[in-house]
């Protein structure tokens, strides 16, 4: 997990003094702003800011946080993350979170979507809580369709992204999407600092994936609401879709992610996946395969 002081230092290091009109003289030993420079520009004492960065201050006012965010040139999501970290206790203990279940209204909305529209429901840690057949066929056709129904077998999108070679091969823009996943996990970790399962997931990925460890060390933070996925799908080939996230009022930790095609060939690819993923279609294909078998000699 991350502390307020660590986040402040990472953002202080990336601000170039010249970018904010600060004159410098001689050789600088730090890549960005010095502590006393940031403190002066934010209107707080250097001693107070030093104690804040070192975790020796219990709370920081909203006014101070906003002043620091202004000087550090934080975007809106980074500001949210800053305030989340400031609300954390100095030594938050981890606890087992309650089991995640998709809200019935979310499942009703998922069911109401035509199968031609791939969609999945994600939990706070990126576990797949539910998906329609085309959503499953689009992003994880090698995974058991019924796996999300069992909390112990639910597919984890972050784990698949960094630990599953088939998932990695699926995305032509894997690097871009992987960085977004890591940045969103950091935002989530700031919101839920005591979630033991989330901490375990981050620890596991850090230990098992050098790519994840490198991206996590960059300390980027971002929301994950809309973007483009360029796929090399094993069934339908090159496909490009836009993902859009719908937040759920009944369960704000959960997201309904919907995929729409970006071009005519991708629309055709989704139609093929829709047709092939229907249960009746699969049964028909299985029967046809049976009929094509050569009869055995008596």
């Amino acid at each position: 997990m991350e502390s307020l002081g660590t986040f402040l230092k990472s953002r202080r290091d990336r601000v170039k003094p010249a970018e904010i009109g600060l004159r410098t003289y001689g050789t600088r030993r730090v890549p960005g702003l010095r502590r006393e420079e940031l403190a002066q520009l934010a209107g707080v004492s250097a001693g107070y800011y030093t104690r804040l960065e070192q975790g020796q201050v219990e709370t920081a006012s909203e006014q101070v946080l906003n002043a620091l965010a202004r000087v550090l040139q934080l975007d809106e999501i980074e500001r949210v993350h800053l305030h989340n970290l400031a609300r954390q206790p100095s030594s938050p203990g981890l606890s087992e979170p309650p089991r995640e279940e998709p809200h019935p209204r979310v499942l009703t909305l998922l069911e109401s979507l035509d199968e031609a529209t791939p969609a999945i429901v994600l939990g706070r840690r990126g576990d797949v809580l539910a998906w329609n057949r085309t959503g499953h066929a689009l992003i994880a056709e090698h995974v058991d369709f019924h796996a999300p129904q069992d909390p112990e077998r639910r597919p984890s999108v972050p784990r698949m992204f960094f630990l599953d070679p088939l998932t990695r091969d699926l995305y032509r823009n894997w690097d871009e999407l992987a960085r977004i996943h890591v940045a969103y996990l950091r935002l989530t970790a700031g919101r839920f600092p005591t979630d033991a399962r989330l901490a375990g997931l981050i620890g596991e990925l850090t230990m098992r994936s050098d790519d994840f460890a490198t991206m996590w060390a960059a300390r980027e933070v971002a929301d994950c609401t809309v973007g483009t996925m360029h796929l090399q799908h094993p069934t339908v080939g090159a496909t490009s879709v836009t993902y859009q996230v719908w937040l759920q009022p009944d369960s704000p930790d959960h997201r309904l992610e919907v995929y729409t095609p970006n071009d005519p060939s991708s629309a055709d690819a989704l139609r093929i996946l829709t047709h092939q993923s229907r249960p009746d279609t699969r049964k028909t294909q299985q029967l046809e395969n049976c009929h094509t078998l050569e009869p055995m000699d008596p």
Side-chain angles (χ1 to χ4, degrees):
M1 297 298 193
E2 183 175 38
S3 69
L4 173 63
T6 302
F7 181 68
L8 284 171
K9 184 180 184 306
S10 70
R11 292 311 182 263
R12 177 167 61 82
D13 288 345
R14 75 177 187 180
V15 176
K16 303 295 187 292
E19 294 176 350
I20 57 175
L22 189 64
R23 291 186 178 184
T24 60
Y25 303 92
T27 302
R28 297 178 64 86
R29 297 180 181 178
V30 295
L33 292 177
R34 298 187 178 99
R35 286 173 176 168
E36 58 270 20
E37 291 171 337
L38 174 54
Q40 181 179 7
L41 292 169
V44 299
S45 71
Y48 173 82
Y49 176 77
T50 298
R51 293 193 300 275
L52 184 64
E53 193 173 286
Q54 293 178 345
Q56 299 173 3
V57 177
E58 288 295 327
T59 60
S61 69
E62 185 173 342
Q63 181 180 5
V64 168
L65 294 174
N66 288 337
L68 293 172
R70 172 181 53 79
V71 178
L72 293 172
Q73 301 177 330
L74 302 188
D75 62 26
E76 185 57 36
I77 299 304
E78 290 172 323
R79 285 173 178 264
V80 170
H81 188 59
L82 177 69
H83 283 267
N84 286 339
L85 293 177
R87 287 193 292 266
Q88 292 181 8
S90 56
S91 300
L94 297 178
S95 60
E96 186 69 16
R99 178 174 294 177
E100 291 190 286
E101 296 296 341
H103 195 280
R105 276 195 282 269
V106 178
L107 295 179
T108 300
L109 178 59
L110 177 65
E111 187 177 354
S112 69
L113 291 173
D114 188 273
E115 280 291 347
T117 303
I120 64 176
V121 179
L122 295 170
R124 72 162 66 159
R125 293 174 293 275
D127 294 336
V128 178
L129 305 183
W131 47 20
N132 61 12
R133 291 194 176 273
T134 314
H136 162 256
L138 180 67
I139 69 165
E141 66 175 8
H142 63 293
V143 176
D144 180 11
F145 172 74
H146 300 288
Q149 299 175 13
D150 181 355
E152 301 304 320
R153 296 175 57 230
R154 282 174 177 161
S156 163
V157 172
R159 284 192 180 93
M160 289 194 297
F161 244 81
F162 288 96
L163 304 179
D164 178 12
L166 292 178
T167 298
R168 183 162 188 154
D169 291 343
L170 176 65
Y171 296 96
R172 289 179 285 144
N173 60 332
W174 182 89
D175 285 339
E176 173 191 357
L177 295 172
R179 292 180 188 282
I180 292 173
H181 276 290
V182 174
Y184 182 75
L185 269 183
R186 185 173 293 281
L187 178 65
T188 304
R191 293 175 58 202
F192 304 103
T194 64
D195 188 324
R197 286 181 177 264
L198 178 58
L201 171 65
I202 294 169
E204 176 190 357
L205 294 178
T206 301
M207 293 295 294
R208 297 180 61 188
S209 169
D210 291 340
D211 288 321
F212 181 89
T214 299
M215 294 179 189
W216 185 259
R219 303 191 181 280
E220 294 301 321
V221 57
D223 206 347
C224 183
T225 55
V226 64
T228 301
M229 298 185 342
H230 299 303
L231 311 178
Q232 187 60 41
H233 196 276
T235 299
V236 294
T239 307
S240 179
V241 299
T242 292
Y243 66 84
Q244 303 176 60
V245 172
W246 296 359
L247 300 180
Q248 307 306 305
D250 293 311
S251 46
D253 301 348
H254 298 169
R255 299 170 291 150
L256 175 64
E257 193 162 286
V258 178
Y259 308 97
T260 52
N262 288 329
D263 51 63
S265 63
S266 297
D268 290 339
L270 292 187
R271 279 192 285 270
I272 293 172
L273 285 179
T274 301
H275 177 72
Q276 292 189 348
S277 62
R278 286 173 177 158
D280 55 343
T281 301
R282 292 202 308 277
K283 290 179 181 177
T284 301
Q285 290 175 338
Q286 291 171 357
L287 289 173
E288 289 175 350
N289 292 337
C290 290
H291 290 321
T292 59
L293 295 176
E294 294 293 332
M296 297 180 63
D297 293 331

